[in-house]
Amino acid sequence: MKKIAVFTSGGDSPGMNACVRAVVRTCMAQNVDVVGIMQGYKGMIEGGDNFMPLSSRSVGNIIQRGGTILKSSRSKAFMTPEGRKIAYDNLSAEGIEGIICIGGNGTFTGAEKFYNEFGIPSIGAPGTIDNDLYGTDLTIGFDTAINTAVEAIDKIRDTADSHGRVFFVEVMGRDTGFIALAATIAGGAESVLLPEVKGDHTKLIEFFRGRQQSKKSFSLVVVAEGNFEGGAIAISSMLNTEIPGFESRVVILGHIQRGGSPSAFDRVLASKLGYGAVNALLAGEKNKMVGLINNKIELTPYIDAITIKKELNPDLLALVDILNN
Ligand code: F6P
């Protein structure tokens, strides 16, 4: 391959820039031209200025920056055959022979479809704060996101302590609880409500009914946004109804978790995976996601990365109950 493209797509995550940098510099080291596509699949369809030749210098001074210099989008047009045909025509006109896509589920679903229709091979790097992709122990951005959540929880803890209050803190993660579970343990929260564990709200009602005996003066409960019984607002109002006189506050951390300078861990992970993705593509691999499993770079077919459910670590789940006493 003489020319490839790189883009970021879906929800941005801290470390995407470090990954773009690694992709570009690995290409430079192998004498391969690289084009950055702005705005993900949207830019691939719109063409024009969205196609930007990149050099080592274009990716200088970005390793520490959150967000993505290539911008991102969730493209509806790319979900249509007509949209993908236009994208293909634009890539062909530029002489692009392969793609590195940095994103999550939706990104890889699109890339697989694109290969099946037009034969453009791609390798994906897992860029999402959710850590919900099978085939990698950790995704780029997850570490930074949980550190952001824990920093916020530490602050909420101060005011919860001062006023002896109960706080429900809602974290992101879409329909998975990886962020919530890690933030609970690192933030020292007493309880967590997760999409993967049904019925935990009943345990919570019992816990707060008996709270007087526990001699705890304040409480922090982490709620995953995709929690089965609802987010933090729903849980807090359910407890208000169930327990007369119950009072609580709700904090929704939201998109704060997506921003900020990537942690050192995410920068290293992103660099390894960007390098690994280019090498895999140049070696003739396609339709696979590069990931880190037990500290080794491994490839997993897109279809597995997208469809196999990554499980929460049961040891961590058990630990929450031991540590909250
Ligand atoms: O996938 C990353 C993520 O931040 C999820 O945790 C969240 O559910 C979703 O994206 C929010 O998407 P948007 O930024 O489009 O509102």
Side-chain angles (χ1 to χ4, degrees), residues 95-203:
I96 291 164
E97 298 163 272
I99 304 171
I100 303 291
C101 43
I102 307 167
N105 272 304
T107 309
F108 303 153
T109 306
E112 168 112 45
K113 213 169 249 174
F114 198 53
Y115 175 77
N116 292 338
E117 289 170 351
F118 300 104
I120 303 246
S122 72
I123 293 289
T128 165
I129 62 165
D130 298 338
N131 198 28
D132 59 348
L133 290 164
Y134 177 86
T136 190
D137 293 339
L138 296 162
T139 57
I140 299 164
F142 173 70
D143 182 68
T144 309
I146 60 175
N147 276 291
T148 301
V150 168
E151 213 182 302
I153 289 170
D154 286 349
K155 290 179 177 159
I156 296 165
R157 171 183 287 281
D158 289 343
T159 177
D161 184 17
S162 303
H163 288 265
R165 279 177 171 155
V166 176
F167 274 81
F168 293 98
V169 185
E170 184 176 303
V171 297
M172 278 189 165
R174 203 179 286 278
D175 53 359
T176 63
F178 294 96
I179 296 178
L181 185 54
T184 299
I185 290 180
E190 288 184 60
S191 192
V192 59
L193 295 174
L194 301 158
E196 291 87 347
V197 186
K198 300 205 171 95
D200 260 10
H201 68 292
T202 15
K203 241 167 81 185

Side-chain angles (χ1 to χ4, degrees), residues 3-319:
K3 196 176 194 180
I4 69 162
V6 59
F7 67 87
T8 52
S9 166
D12 60 347
S13 68
M16 278 184 160
N17 284 329
C19 192
V20 170
R21 174 179 178 270
V23 166
V24 171
R25 293 193 175 168
T26 307
C27 284
M28 298 295 110
Q30 312 238 29
N31 292 317
V32 172
D33 288 342
V34 54
V35 172
I37 301 176
M38 303 294 289
Q39 307 183 75
Y41 290 125
K42 182 170 183 275
M44 204 186 271
I45 293 171
E46 289 175 3
D49 288 350
N50 287 297
F51 285 60
M52 283 196 336
L54 298 175
S55 67
S56 279
R57 295 288 64 78
S58 355
V59 291
N61 198 24
I62 66 166
I63 195 163
Q64 79 288 10
R65 284 171 60 186
T68 159
I69 60 156
L70 295 181
K71 314 294 180 197
S72 193
S73 64
R74 301 191 196 274
S75 170
K76 288 219 167 62
F78 197 79
M79 292 178 189
T80 67
E82 299 76 25
R84 292 194 290 275
K85 171 73 172 71
I86 299 170
Y88 171 71
D89 291 342
N90 286 335
L91 291 178
S92 300
E94 287 282 335
I96 291 164
E97 298 163 272
I99 304 171
I100 303 291
C101 43
I102 307 167
N105 272 304
T107 309
F108 303 153
T109 306
E112 168 112 45
K113 213 169 249 174
F114 198 53
Y115 175 77
N116 292 338
E117 289 170 351
F118 300 104
I120 303 246
S122 72
I123 293 289
T128 165
I129 62 165
D130 298 338
N131 198 28
D132 59 348
L133 290 164
Y134 177 86
T136 190
D137 293 339
L138 296 162
T139 57
I140 299 164
F142 173 70
D143 182 68
T144 309
I146 60 175
N147 276 291
T148 301
V150 168
E151 213 182 302
I153 289 170
D154 286 349
K155 290 179 177 159
I156 296 165
R157 171 183 287 281
D158 289 343
T159 177
D161 184 17
S162 303
H163 288 265
R165 279 177 171 155
V166 176
F167 274 81
F168 293 98
V169 185
E170 184 176 303
V171 297
M172 278 189 165
R174 203 179 286 278
D175 53 359
T176 63
F178 294 96
I179 296 178
L181 185 54
T184 299
I185 290 180
E190 288 184 60
S191 192
V192 59
L193 295 174
L194 301 158
E196 291 87 347
V197 186
K198 300 205 171 95
D200 260 10
H201 68 292
T202 15
K203 241 167 81 185
L204 201 66
I205 296 169
E206 278 161 34
F207 171 76
F208 280 115
R209 281 210 174 107
R211 188 164 173 259
Q212 260 75 8
Q213 285 93 61
S214 78
K215 298 206 173 70
K216 291 204 175 181
S217 57
F218 70 96
S219 286
L220 301 175
V221 177
V222 174
V223 184
E225 65 173 347
N227 172 51
F228 190 68
E229 293 90 4
I233 294 176
I235 294 297
S236 118
S237 61
M238 182 196 71
L239 278 153
N240 286 341
T241 317
E242 292 284 336
I243 306 172
F246 181 82
E247 209 196 310
S248 63
R249 295 288 187 274
V250 169
V251 179
I252 297 175
L253 297 185
H255 287 78
I256 287 173
Q257 294 159 100
R258 287 247 291 266
S261 178
S263 65
F265 182 90
D266 272 330
R267 296 181 200 191
V268 174
L269 177 68
S271 302
K272 280 183 181 170
L273 295 185
Y275 164 83
V278 172
N279 286 336
L281 187 67
L282 298 183
E285 293 284 359
K286 57 180 172 295
N287 283 346
K288 289 181 180 160
M289 182 192 83
V290 67
L292 205 67
I293 303 177
N294 294 330
N295 223 17
K296 271 179 60 194
I297 295 179
E298 305 276 3
L299 292 170
T300 299
Y302 281 152
I303 193 74
D304 291 348
I306 299 162
T307 57
I308 299 182
K309 185 153 177 54
K310 184 167 164 182
E311 301 294 339
L312 291 177
N313 181 342
D315 294 340
L316 284 188
L317 278 173
L319 200 53

